[in-house]
Amino acid sequence: MQDPTSPPSSPGAGKPADRQDTEQLVAAVRSGDSNSFGDLYARVAPALFVWADLRIRPSLRPRLDPEDMVQEVCCRAFRDFGNFDPARGVFRGWVFGIANRVLKRALMEIGRSPSVQRPLADDDGPPEDLPDDATSISRRVARDERLKVFAEAVSKLEEEERR
């Protein structure tokens, strides 16, 4: 059985053209083109937002917002991009690994102190060289009505179907 916090595999993920484009963006970011990170992250942000939206229960929303989580994952992925090794896996899987750790840490913080308001707060703040378009991705994705409709439809499925 798949871990319920693991990202879903999406239909069409890994198409040869998409994979090649992603590999080109990864190479551009590795060569110092930090602006390409926004384009790279934009490929996974919609799925990441829906993943977070489905996992963060409504009762936790006042303290843990899916949009904030997507933003935090973006910052951490940018900061840790040097650790991404395409030989070990795809960018999407690597980002969802970060998301899974961010969510687990936030839930642990809430569990330790139910009154904590910002379990995603990072003492370092966003990286200074994070491109502006990368930081706006989470806001744009969170406001995408199609994603909200999709997440709502999925949330109504039986648990096994939802996974």
Side-chain angles (χ1 to χ4, degrees), residues 152-162:
E152 186 176 326
V154 172
S155 72
K156 292 177 182 175
L157 297 173
E158 296 293 326
E159 184 177 346
E160 186 154 331
E161 292 175 323
R162 206 172 38 243

Side-chain angles (χ1 to χ4, degrees), residues 60 62-64 106 108-119:
L60 295 175
R63 293 173 281 165
L64 184 57
M108 285 179 5
E109 289 292 322
I110 289 171
R112 276 194 285 257
S113 177
S115 63
V116 68
Q117 291 298 311
R118 299 195 62 220

Side-chain angles (χ1 to χ4, degrees), residues 75-140:
C75 290
R76 290 184 190 200
F78 183 78
R79 187 178 305 132
D80 297 342
F81 191 80
N83 297 328
F84 171 60
D85 181 0
R88 294 184 59 200
V90 296
F91 180 74
R92 177 186 175 92
W94 181 75
V95 168
F96 272 99
I98 292 170
N100 196 30
R101 290 187 296 278
V102 167
L103 178 59
K104 285 180 179 180
R105 178 178 161 238
L107 293 174
M108 285 179 5
E109 289 292 322
I110 289 171
R112 276 194 285 257
S113 177
S115 63
V116 68
Q117 291 298 311
R118 299 195 62 220
L120 295 174
D122 191 350
D123 295 339
D124 296 335
E128 287 182 24
D129 51 346
L130 182 67
D132 290 338
D133 66 333
T135 60
S136 66
I137 290 169
S138 60
R139 288 189 301 274
R140 187 172 60 242

Side-chain angles (χ1 to χ4, degrees), residues 20-75:
Q20 187 175 28
D21 291 345
T22 299
E23 289 170 359
Q24 290 172 346
L25 289 169
V26 166
V29 176
R30 284 189 172 278
S31 69
D33 178 8
S34 62
N35 289 323
S36 291
F37 181 82
D39 294 334
L40 186 60
Y41 193 73
R43 292 169 172 258
V44 299
L48 181 61
F49 177 79
V50 171
W51 179 87
D53 191 59
L54 291 170
R55 279 159 183 76
I56 300 172
R57 294 186 309 251
S59 62
L60 295 175
R61 297 294 169 96
R63 293 173 281 165
L64 184 57
D65 181 65
E67 182 180 347
D68 291 344
M69 188 177 152
V70 171
Q71 180 77 20
E72 180 64 21
V73 172
C74 178
C75 290

Side-chain angles (χ1 to χ4, degrees), residues 3-21:
D3 176 353
T5 59
S6 296
S9 53
S10 66
K15 291 180 187 172
D18 289 346
R19 190 175 314 129
Q20 187 175 28
D21 291 345

